[in-house]
Amino acid sequence: MATASKTFELDSLIEACQHALTTDTPQEAIRNIVSDMIQDHHQVRQALGQQNVASVEKLYASETLSIVNFVWAPHMTMPAHNHNMWAVVGVYEGREDHIFWRRKKDAGEGKIEAAGAASISSGEVICMNIDAIHSVTNPTNLFTRAIHIYAGDFFEIERSEWETLSLTENLFDPEKNRERFESENRKYQAIKGR
């Protein structure tokens, strides 16, 4: 017997995640919420929009919870960075390839080295712990869309990013990050206009 698909409702997602934070295993509870939600990716995409623009869309943010809709341009890469809070990521369209990094012992300057990788496609979820450092790539020719949920205020917390060539640590720069997304959109428009 077929079941009716659930309509994506942001208020319901926020409420469910806030409740999950009060449980004994909040990250696991939010992982289950996101996993259920993204199974009907058409509903999520319809509710959040279908524009082809790389963006970081704040859906909700408080001191204990942030819900962000990431749209990655084709072949876009976000260099290594951390969040200083645990996270749950669910892709509802496309694919994210993650490289996980760890701090190199006795290397100085916060240098990092690759420590693992994961790839998640539409309908899949990944969890990251509070100490996670990762880079993200959309390896496809299409836009990738994903819901990222953080256990804190993603937009206010101090965090780090790593220089792509030297892999040295710097303070995360929101303005530099905005420019990164704008640059990806300009590249996409230039290719599309050919």
Side-chain angles (χ1 to χ4, degrees), residues 70-182:
F70 274 89
V71 180
W72 306 105
H75 304 289
M76 180 177 179
T77 293
M78 178 74 174
H81 62 280
N82 64 9
H83 307 125
N84 289 327
M85 64 187 99
W86 59 254
V88 175
V89 174
V91 172
Y92 63 93
E93 186 172 72
R95 192 172 102 207
E96 287 184 357
D97 286 351
H98 296 256
I99 297 176
F100 292 100
W101 304 84
R102 65 177 166 234
R103 293 179 184 275
K104 290 178 81 170
K105 293 181 180 175
D106 304 320
E109 297 184 54
K111 286 201 172 187
I112 55 173
E113 61 186 356
S119 182
I120 55 173
S121 297
S122 183
E124 296 179 329
V125 178
I126 193 169
C127 294
M128 288 176 262
N129 66 31
I130 194 170
D131 297 324
I133 300 170
H134 75 133
S135 51
V136 186
T137 298
N138 170 11
T140 75
N141 292 324
L142 305 172
F143 280 80
T144 287
R145 295 171 169 81
I147 296 290
H148 292 218
I149 299 182
Y150 304 93
D153 192 336
F154 175 79
F155 298 94
E156 295 298 327
I157 195 165
E158 189 173 287
R159 53 201 183 98
S160 296
E161 60 187 355
W162 278 261
E163 179 65 37
T164 305
L165 291 176
S166 66
L167 295 178
T168 53
E169 185 174 12
N170 298 296
L171 191 62
F172 184 83
D173 182 347
E175 187 56 41
K176 184 177 169 183
N177 193 52
R178 272 191 289 280
E179 173 53 33
R180 182 177 289 121
F181 277 78
E182 289 172 9

